[in-house]
Every structure is written in C-alpha cells, then in structure tokens.
Amino acid sequence: MVVTYDIEEKKFVFDFEHDGAEDIVSLTGSGYQVEAFGKCFYYGYEFAPQVDGPVRTSFIHHVKFTEDLQNNSDLTNFIKKAVDNLSHQINLYDYNLVVMPESSSKVNQYMLRYIYRFAQPTLRKMELVKALPSNISFDMDAYEQSYLNDVLENGRPRYTEAQKEEVRQSISKMLDLIHQKDYFTIAKDVKKSRFRPYMMQFLKFASKADEVLCASIRNQNILIIDDVTTSGSTLNEILRTLRILNEDNDITIFSLLGRKDLMAESI
C-alpha cells in the first residue's frame, strides 16, 4: 500500500493498491516481529528510513487525532489492514485479555472493535490513563497547604511571602513549558528522568473495576495494543503493572505504527 505526502497540498494521500518509492509508511510483512520489551512485539506499519521528523510527526497527529475517524475510510482501512496482518501472524482466539492505554486518540478504540470481529467471546478490555500535555495541571491549593504554609516549631512561617511568590512563579513557568511540549517528547523525558521513581506513586487505575479485573489475572494470555510506539514509555508502564500481578503471562504487544530505531532504547 502507499501513503505519500503531497507537499503542495500539505496532506497525506492513501493508495491501498500500489507500493512506491515515495511511500512514507509500509505494511510490515508476514512473520514480521521485533524482540522488544522482553516480549514478542509486532507493529502494523513502519516509517520509511527517508521520512524526516516533521512529516513523521504530522502523520502521527493525522492518524491519532482525526476527529471523525469512524467516517474516514482511509484511516479505518489503514487500521483494518494492520489488524488483518496481525491476525495472519497470531491466533487472536488464544488471548483472554486486551490491555490498551486510554487517550484522546480514537485509534485504540477502533482497533479494539475491529479485533472483536475475530475473537469477541475471549477478549476483555482494561484501560490505563494518560493525559495530553495541555491537560496537565498543578494543585496549587494542596501544595500551599502541605508545604508553603508550613510553620516552624516556634509558630513562625517557614517561608516568607516573597519566597512563596517565587515558588508560585516557578511552578507557573514549569506548566507553561509542559503545555508547549508534545506528548512524545514528555514521554521520552519522563522515561530518562531521575525523578521517575517519585512519579510512580501517582500512577493509578482508571476505575475500581479495572483494578479488580487486573487483580484477577493469573495465567491469562494478554494482547497489549497501542496506536503509536515512539519511546516505548507507555508500553513499559503497562508491562511493569502486569508483571507485578503475574510473572508468567504470555504477553504479545501490537502497535499500529512504529519505527525500529525509535524503539532501540526499549529493546
């Protein structure tokens, strides 16, 4: 199949009948897999080596954040071909549980619905939550109550009003910088950050039902699906959670779109 980028029109053109030298992505072949994350890992499409960063980023956003995905035949066929390719490589009936990250992207939900056409009686869904950078906030009231308004043993405030204001301004600047970043940059930064151990305590399940479902997992085979794999941060966190529950699960990972060298640090 062909996906090319029309520079003049600044849009992506899909052609599911032909392959060409100008393709920016290609469907992975039969039997294709990558040994990554300590488990068998597949992805549906890979970027061509010649695709530069701006075009790659633009295509990722086009795939992930098209509002009316259901009525976009190019993107739905794009997803279906990847899942069809996966079904030729693994038996979807062998999997008891599907795990996927929840995001504003509708791609994962569409992939899940299409997978149900192959193995609906045996698949269930559990969602872990992540947020776009623009939705990240800071609870200043709780921070002031817990830290900035602390008092010394003699009853005097620990911090002056000038010091408190300096902290507030620093936090405001930090949030502005976070909101300007894209999700993939933040995911990669968090993965390498020395502060990562402190962030782990804030990870949580989307609901009590998901937590109960996760606790019930013992020897079930699990299929993890995600729309795009870049740094591997999301998949690593899902695997970490599942490994706490059971070390013996047969886990297969599938991502709609990826590139080998972008996953090198996760292998």
Side-chain angles (χ1 to χ4, degrees):
M1 67 157 291
V2 176
V3 178
T4 56
Y5 183 61
D6 188 324
I7 298 178
E8 293 184 359
E9 297 291 332
K10 294 185 178 179
K11 68 177 184 179
F12 297 98
V13 180
F14 291 74
D15 181 346
F16 295 97
E17 303 300 327
H18 307 92
D19 294 321
E22 300 300 319
D23 296 1
I24 63 170
V25 298
S26 59
L27 193 68
T28 57
S30 177
Y32 182 89
Q33 67 184 59
V34 177
E35 292 299 326
F37 307 99
K39 283 292 169 184
C40 187
F41 176 78
Y42 300 88
Y43 55 94
Y45 300 92
E46 59 182 331
F47 283 107
Q50 75 273 11
V51 179
D52 61 25
V55 172
R56 189 170 64 245
T57 298
S58 180
F59 185 69
I60 287 173
H61 279 269
H62 178 67
V63 171
K64 287 174 66 71
F65 302 120
T66 295
E67 292 186 5
D68 194 11
L69 174 62
Q70 188 72 35
N71 293 319
N72 188 316
S73 60
D74 283 339
L75 287 182
T76 53
N77 286 331
F78 184 77
I79 295 170
K80 288 176 181 178
K81 280 187 173 293
V83 177
D84 287 341
N85 192 36
L86 176 68
S87 72
H88 293 152
Q89 302 178 65
I90 65 174
N91 185 356
L92 289 170
Y93 281 97
D94 288 341
Y95 292 84
N96 311 101
L97 176 69
V98 170
V99 176
M100 69 180 192
E102 182 183 26
S103 73
S104 58
S105 166
K106 297 180 177 64
V107 174
N108 284 345
Q109 287 83 357
Y110 191 86
M111 280 201 295
L112 183 66
R113 288 197 296 271
Y114 193 64
I115 287 173
Y116 277 176
R117 297 183 60 174
F118 295 91
Q120 186 173 3
T122 61
L123 297 180
R124 290 180 288 170
K125 180 177 68 169
M126 178 182 69
E127 296 179 347
L128 302 178
V129 177
K130 64 184 179 183
L132 291 174
S134 58
N135 295 331
I136 295 175
S137 60
F138 187 88
D139 191 340
M140 183 63 75
D141 291 338
Y143 182 74
E144 290 186 357
Q145 182 177 352
S146 299
Y147 298 99
L148 291 188
N149 295 333
D150 191 25
V151 296
L152 300 172
E153 292 181 0
N154 60 11
R156 295 180 60 184
R158 182 177 294 275
Y159 305 105
T160 66
E161 289 303 318
Q163 288 174 324
K164 292 180 182 179
E165 183 58 29
E166 183 180 357
V167 170
R168 295 187 190 103
Q169 291 182 10
S170 296
I171 292 172
S172 178
K173 290 179 181 179
M174 176 187 68
L175 284 175
D176 287 341
L177 291 173
I178 289 174
H179 293 161
Q180 293 172 23
K181 283 180 171 283
D182 61 79
Y183 173 80
F184 307 105
T185 300
I186 289 183
K188 190 171 183 179
D189 289 345
V190 168
K191 184 179 176 184
K192 294 181 176 180
S193 172
R194 66 183 186 278
F195 299 112
R196 187 169 180 271
Y198 301 99
M199 300 175 187
M200 304 306 294
Q201 61 182 303
F202 298 105
L203 293 174
K204 62 182 181 180
F205 290 98
S207 67
K208 184 64 178 179
D210 282 353
E211 185 176 359
V212 171
L213 173 60
C214 203
S216 70
I217 298 171
R218 288 298 177 264
N219 294 316
Q220 295 185 350
N221 294 332
I222 300 173
L223 176 64
I224 300 174
I225 61 173
D226 199 10
D227 45 21
V228 178
T229 295
T230 51
S231 69
S233 174
T234 298
L235 295 179
N236 272 321
E237 293 308 325
I238 291 176
L239 284 170
R240 183 192 66 84
T241 302
L242 293 175
R243 280 287 164 257
I244 291 174
L245 297 169
N246 195 310
E247 290 290 337
D248 301 319
N249 305 64
D250 182 8
I251 299 177
T252 296
I253 305 165
F254 177 74
S255 182
L256 177 66
L257 187 62
R259 201 181 76 182
K260 289 180 180 178
D261 59 327
L262 289 175
M263 297 181 293
E265 296 173 0
S266 301
I267 297 178

